[in-house]
Structures are given as C-alpha cells and as structure tokens.
C-alpha cells in the first residue's frame, strides 16, 4: 500500500512550500523598494502605503478567511489562495503605477495570510500526534528559508533591468509547486474516501469526524460551551504576547539598533540580513527536532524566558552606549545610485541598508525597511535632507571607544539570542497550538479570529515603535518589551496546556473536561489527566 507512505512527504512539501511563499513575500519588498522608489519617485508616505498594503491584505484575510476555510475546506482554501497570489504577482510584475503595486501587494498579503491558516490546520488534521509537531513547525522553517531566498534573489537581480519585476514574479514558483502537491492529497478528514488513506497517519483519529458532530457558531468562541472561552483565551494570549514582546521591531529595526550601538557602515546590513536570518533558520530547525520531544509548553517557556533576558539586555546596553538617531527616509529620494548593491562597497551614511523582515507563524510578520520607517514625520526645524553628493562625501564616523567594544558585541549577542528564542518558541509553537486546541467544526474560524489579532497587534507595534522611542527612549522601550515577555512567561506557565503526543480528539477532551484556573498550567503535563482513547475498527 504505497499511497499512505507517499502522504507524509506530500504533507511536508505542502507545509514547507507554504512557509517558503510566506517568507519570500514578506522579505522581497526590502530589496525591491529602493528600485521601485527610483522608478516611480515614491515619497515616504507612498513607501509606507506600499509596505503596509501587505499587512492590510493579510488582516482582511484573517477576518474572512476562517469562514472560507470552514465552508469550502482546507485544501480548497489553499488552492484558492495560490490563485490569488498568482494574480497578485502578475499585477506586481506588470505594474505601471503605484495603484497596481498596492493592489498586487494587497492581494499577496491576502493570499499568504489565508494560506498560512489553511496550511497549518490542513497538515495538523492529516497527520498523527507523532508527526504533527514536526510538520506544522516545518511551515515556520519554510518562512525563514523564504526570507533568506528572497535576499539572495534580491542581490542577484538588483542590477538587472526591471529586476524588481522578476523579484515579485518568482513568488509564484513555490505556490505552483505547492498546488501540484495538493492535487495528490485528499480533500480533508471529513472526506469519507480519505479516511482509508489517513488511518496509517492518524491512527484512526480522523474517524471521530463524522456523523453527529456538534455544530458551533462564531459566538461560541466566547461561551462556556466545551470550554471554548478558555481555548480562545489561550489562543489570543499567545498571539498577542508574541507581538507585544516587540519581535517585529527588533528584527525590522535590526540595522538601526546595530548602528545605534556602534556598528557602522555596511556591516550592520550584513548582520541584519544574513546573520540574523541564518540564526532564525538554525533555531527553527532546532524547534522542529524538539517540539515533539520536549513539548510545546517547554519550548514556549524557554523561548519566552530567553526573549525577556535578551531584549532587556539590549535595553541595558543602550543605557551605557551613546545612541545615534537613525537615518531618515528624506535622504533616500535624493540618492542617485543604489547603495548596498553588488559592486558598491561604501554605502552612504544617510541611506540605511535593507532590513530583515519578520515572520511569524505563523504565520505572521511585516516588512518595514529602515530607510522608510526610521523617520515618519519631519518636524519643524529639522535640517533639510542632504543631497546625494553630500551623502557620498560624508566622512566615516570615528571608531567606537575601546570601553564600548564589549558592549557592542553584547548587543549583537542579545540580538542573536532574541531571534533564536522567538524562532524556537513563539514563532512555530503558537501556530501549532492554535491548530490543535479547537474542535474541527470551528477550527478555521477560531484560527482566523486569533490570527486577526496577530496581524492587528503586529501593525500596532510596528507603527508605534518610533513614537514610543520618542516618548520614553530606546532603552526604556526595550526594557518595556522585556517586562511584557515576563508577563507572557507567566501566562504560558498558568494557562497553556501541554499537547505533545496527544491526538486532536484527546486534546479536545482535555479542554472539555477541565476549566483552567490559575494553577491549571502546572498540572497540564502531569500524568494525572485521564483520557478515553477513541477506538477505531478496521471496517471504518
């Protein structure tokens, strides 16, 4: 019976290629933005609109995508999202105005958000408890690989004529490959014909989904029925804390942070894009190996604790090292050559390097290049933007004082630890837990509801970063993120249960039988919880 043995690699390809598409679409704008700005003469606000359009499309998908996933099925939702992505890539590749660019980026955001939700749910339902953690986490690994791939292609295509059109067009490749894999997989666990194929992977779990299944409305997410209210509390808590710890900003403003604590010139661009990206890949692969051994809860606790320590460390370092204000986007429109591209070894000081976009999980992280986000609103009395010639002739800054060298490297280590901690904790595990804790009949809508808060919080944190720095300073901003991570650590300890090595049916029973109290988190991993395993006959 060769078909079941083929299902596992096909499920892995669906998860990996979905994440690859997500990460590529998030990251590609950082390499395409500068040539787009030069070709279309984009102002700062137009750049913000272009970058933010992806977030707006993703937020829209999170609001309506759950109903599409539950109504038409997981497989159909992924295929539909790939069609939308292809249309968006075509709009971007052939764009002749800002309107078409914004439309294409919005469609891409809608597609990757819908696909991210459907992929995690689809894979978690197809495979059994022993494979679920690895295969759903593979989506996050795909995101990190997609980010690095986008930077590699951005570098190769930067000097090519209309290279940005090719950058956007290549996003269609993993989506097409994913669609081919999906055509060989069953529609889902609700399909009676699929049960025979799924039994070797699921261990009979899929047969629970059949006649007599309960019906849930969207409002049931906030009611006591089957303890849905506590499930929603767990889901919302995870997505909000992963954003409120400041992870979009630590990555999006990596170059600015490095520049502020003493790393000058092109080194910060390399550290931000290549160094942090490589760390994300390594940490996510580590999470894949541990998520079904150490467990979801253990990775979340360890990751959140390290995030609290490392982001607080960045804040403390910034107290000791004199801070420089970041470069403004006002300097970019006057630039007459592409700095930081192949063959250019001396980028102007006033033009910030491209930044590493964030990812989430899950599915969810925005791209805010420093060149457009470091300065939003010119204030009265600000000096005029320097000309391109002035930027090129500005002498390099003096080297940092010897006593600050150790602190500079401490900041780098803290940044690496923060990225690693997020990538083996909140990054993959949040979306894995969300795909497990809800009943199948409402899983799509519940996942989308939590995902909408993820995108909204991501947008809020990113847009408020500069204002927050202006109000309380960079050091206190990162210390505030550290305090939030400590609160997130307490939330995980008290409320998030352990779900490793449990079928979806057993997880559902765990939530139905228990009402989480302030001490319930400690008891989730104990052996005292009893389950009634669903037996499946060979005839089913």
């Amino acid at each position: 019976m060769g078909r079941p043995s083929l299902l596992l690699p096909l499920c892995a390809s669906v998860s990996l290629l979905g994440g690859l598409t997500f990460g590529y679409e998030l990251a590609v704008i950082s390499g395409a933005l500068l040539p787009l700005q030069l070709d279309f003469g984009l102002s700062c606000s137009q750049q913000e609109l272009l970058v933010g359009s992806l977030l707006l499309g993703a937020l829209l998908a999170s609001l309506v995508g759950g109903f599409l996933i539950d109504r038409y099925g997981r497989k159909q939702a992924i295929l539909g999202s790939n069609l939308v992505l292809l249309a968006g890539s075509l709009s971007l590749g052939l764009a002749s105005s800002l309107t078409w660019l914004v439309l294409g980026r919005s469609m891409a955001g809608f597609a990757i958000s819908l696909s991210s939700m459907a992929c995690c749910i689809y894979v978690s339902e197809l495979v059994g408890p022993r494979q679920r953690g690895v295969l759903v986490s593979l989506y996050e690994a795909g995101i990190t690989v997609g980010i690095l791939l986008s930077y590699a292609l951005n570098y190769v295509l930067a000097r090519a004529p209309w290279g940005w059109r090719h950058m956007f067009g290549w996003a269609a490749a993993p989506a097409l490959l994913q669609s081919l894999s999906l055509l060989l997989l069953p529609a889902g666990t609700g399909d009676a014909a699929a049960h025979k194929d799924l039994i070797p992977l699921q261990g009979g779990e899929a047969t629970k989904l059949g006649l007599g299944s309960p019906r849930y409305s969207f409002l049931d997410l906030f009611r006591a029925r089957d303890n849905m209210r506590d499930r929603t509390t767990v889901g919302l808590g995870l997505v909000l804390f992963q954003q409120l710890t400041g992870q979009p900003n630590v990555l999006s403003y990596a170059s600015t942070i490095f520049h502020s604590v003493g790393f000058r010139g092109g080194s910060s661009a390399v550290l931000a894009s290549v160094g942090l990206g490589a760390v994300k890949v390594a940490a996510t692969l580590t999470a894949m190996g541990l998520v079904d051994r150490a467990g979801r809860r253990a990775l979340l606790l360890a990751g959140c604790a390290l995030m609290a320590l490392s982001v607080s460390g960045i804040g403390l370092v910034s107290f000791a090292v004199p801070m420089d204000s970041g470069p403004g986007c006002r300097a970019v429109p006057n630039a007459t050559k592409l700095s930081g591209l192949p063959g250019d070894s001396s980028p102007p000081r006033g033009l910030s390097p491209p930044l590493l976009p964030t990812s989430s999980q899950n599915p969810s992280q925005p791209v805010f290049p420093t060149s457009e986000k470091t300065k939003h609103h010119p204030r009265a009395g600000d000096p005029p933007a320097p000309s391109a010639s002035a930027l090129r002739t500005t002498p390099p800054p003096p080297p940092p004082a010897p006593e600050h060298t150790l602190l500079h490297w401490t900041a780098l280590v803290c940044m690496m630890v923060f990225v690693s901690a997020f990538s083996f904790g909140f990054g993959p595990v949040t979306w894995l837990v969300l795909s497990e804790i809800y009943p199948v009949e409402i899983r799509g809508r519940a996942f989308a509801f939590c995902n909408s808060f993820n995108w909204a919080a991501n947008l809020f944190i990113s847009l408020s970063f500069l204002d927050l720095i202006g109000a309380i300073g960079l050091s206190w901003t990162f210390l505030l993120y550290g305090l939030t991570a400590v609160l997130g650590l307490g939330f995980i300890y008290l409320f998030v249960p352990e779900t490793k090595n449990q079928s979806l049916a057993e997880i559902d029973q765990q939530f139905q039988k228990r009402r989480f109290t302030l001490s319930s988190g400690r008891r989730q991993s104990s052996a005292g919880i009893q389950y009634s395993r669903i037996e499946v006959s060979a005839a089913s």
Side-chain angles (χ1 to χ4, degrees), residues 44-190:
C44 292
S45 59
Q46 289 173 328
Q47 294 176 60
E48 291 175 349
L49 174 63
L50 180 57
V51 174
S53 59
L54 183 93
L55 287 178
L56 295 177
L59 181 58
L60 176 62
S62 66
L63 295 175
V64 302
F67 296 95
L68 298 176
I69 293 171
D70 284 339
R71 174 66 178 84
Y72 298 103
R74 287 71 161 125
K75 179 178 177 179
Q76 289 76 8
I78 300 173
L79 291 173
S81 69
N82 287 342
L83 289 177
V84 175
L85 182 71
L86 293 177
S89 298
L90 185 64
S91 174
L92 287 165
L94 301 177
S96 58
S97 66
L98 177 63
T99 301
W100 284 104
L101 290 172
V102 171
L103 177 62
R105 288 293 287 171
S106 299
M107 295 174 69
F110 184 94
I112 63 174
S113 178
L114 177 60
S115 177
S116 68
M117 296 182 292
C119 280
C120 291
I121 295 173
Y122 183 67
V123 172
S124 71
E125 292 176 349
L126 284 184
V127 300
R130 289 179 297 176
Q131 299 93 7
R132 189 189 311 123
V134 171
L135 291 186
V136 176
S137 299
L138 194 60
Y139 190 91
E140 182 72 16
I143 292 177
T144 59
V145 173
I147 290 174
L148 289 180
L149 178 61
S150 71
Y151 272 99
L153 287 177
N154 286 347
Y155 184 87
V156 171
L157 297 171
R159 292 287 186 181
W162 302 105
W164 58 267
R165 297 186 187 273
H166 300 284
M167 295 177 192
F168 288 129
W170 275 105
L176 288 174
L177 291 175
Q178 185 194 46
S179 298
L180 293 177
S181 298
L182 281 168
L183 295 178
L184 301 175
L185 285 169
T189 55

Side-chain angles (χ1 to χ4, degrees), residues 332-347:
V332 178
N334 294 321
T336 57
K337 71 172 185 174
L338 304 180
S339 71
L341 300 179
D344 183 8
S345 59
S346 56

Side-chain angles (χ1 to χ4, degrees), residues 379-420:
R379 295 180 173 85
D382 281 348
S387 64
S389 60
L391 289 173
R392 289 194 294 268
T393 58
T394 301
E403 61 269 18
H404 290 156
T405 301
L406 178 60
L407 293 177
H408 296 161
W409 288 102
T410 301
L412 172 60
V413 171
C414 288
M415 186 79 75
M416 296 293 187
V417 171
F418 184 89
V419 170
S420 300

Side-chain angles (χ1 to χ4, degrees), residues 153-467:
L153 287 177
N154 286 347
Y155 184 87
V156 171
L157 297 171
R159 292 287 186 181
W162 302 105
W164 58 267
R165 297 186 187 273
H166 300 284
M167 295 177 192
F168 288 129
W170 275 105
L176 288 174
L177 291 175
Q178 185 194 46
S179 298
L180 293 177
S181 298
L182 281 168
L183 295 178
L184 301 175
L185 285 169
T189 55
D191 185 359
H195 284 187
K196 296 179 181 179
D197 295 328
L198 294 175
I199 285 176
L201 292 180
Q202 283 276 34
E205 178 182 357
T207 55
K208 178 182 182 290
L209 312 174
L211 298 176
S213 297
R215 300 296 179 186
Y216 295 95
S217 68
F218 179 75
L219 294 179
D220 285 330
L221 291 174
F222 315 102
R223 293 170 178 161
R225 178 189 178 188
D226 293 336
N227 206 18
M228 294 293 291
R229 185 184 301 149
D230 285 337
R231 304 183 203 218
T232 302
T233 299
V234 171
L236 288 181
L238 288 176
V239 299
L240 289 177
F241 275 114
Q242 79 163 350
Q243 299 299 333
L244 295 176
T245 50
Q247 63 86 19
N249 295 330
V250 171
L251 286 177
S252 294
Y253 295 93
S255 294
T256 302
I257 297 168
F258 286 143
H259 184 275
S260 296
V261 296
F263 289 91
R264 307 298 191 211
S267 62
S268 36
V270 175
L271 288 171
S273 60
V274 179
L276 294 184
V279 167
K280 282 181 68 66
V281 172
T284 306
L285 293 176
T286 302
M288 289 176 54
L290 294 177
V291 68
D292 285 321
R293 297 179 182 180
R296 289 75 157 133
R297 179 176 157 84
L299 290 183
L300 284 171
L301 288 171
C304 196
L306 286 176
M307 287 175 70
L309 292 174
S310 57
V311 78
S312 299
I314 298 173
L316 294 175
V317 167
S318 65
F319 270 123
V321 180
M323 293 291 103
D324 297 331
S325 59
C329 68
R330 294 174 298 151
V332 178
N334 294 321
T336 57
K337 71 172 185 174
L338 304 180
S339 71
L341 300 179
D344 183 8
S345 59
S346 56
R349 283 190 65 199
L351 186 60
S352 62
L355 296 178
L356 177 66
T358 61
S359 81
S360 90
Q361 66 66 51
N362 115 243
S364 101
Q365 319 303 327
V367 183
F368 288 101
T370 307
S371 60
E372 62 156 356
K373 290 296 296 180
T374 307
K375 185 74 172 176
H376 287 288
H377 308 292
R379 295 180 173 85
D382 281 348
S387 64
S389 60
L391 289 173
R392 289 194 294 268
T393 58
T394 301
E403 61 269 18
H404 290 156
T405 301
L406 178 60
L407 293 177
H408 296 161
W409 288 102
T410 301
L412 172 60
V413 171
C414 288
M415 186 79 75
M416 296 293 187
V417 171
F418 184 89
V419 170
S420 300
F422 178 83
S423 296
F424 72 74
F426 275 128
V429 179
T430 294
W431 311 109
L432 173 59
V433 172
L434 279 178
S435 68
E436 294 176 328
I437 63 176
Y438 288 102
V440 63
E441 294 80 11
I442 198 175
R443 189 170 293 144
R445 284 165 287 171
F447 197 109
F449 174 72
C450 294
N451 196 32
S452 66
F453 276 81
N454 173 71
W455 285 107
N458 198 322
L459 183 62
F460 170 77
I461 292 297
S462 298
L463 294 181
S464 64
F465 182 58
L466 298 177
D467 292 330

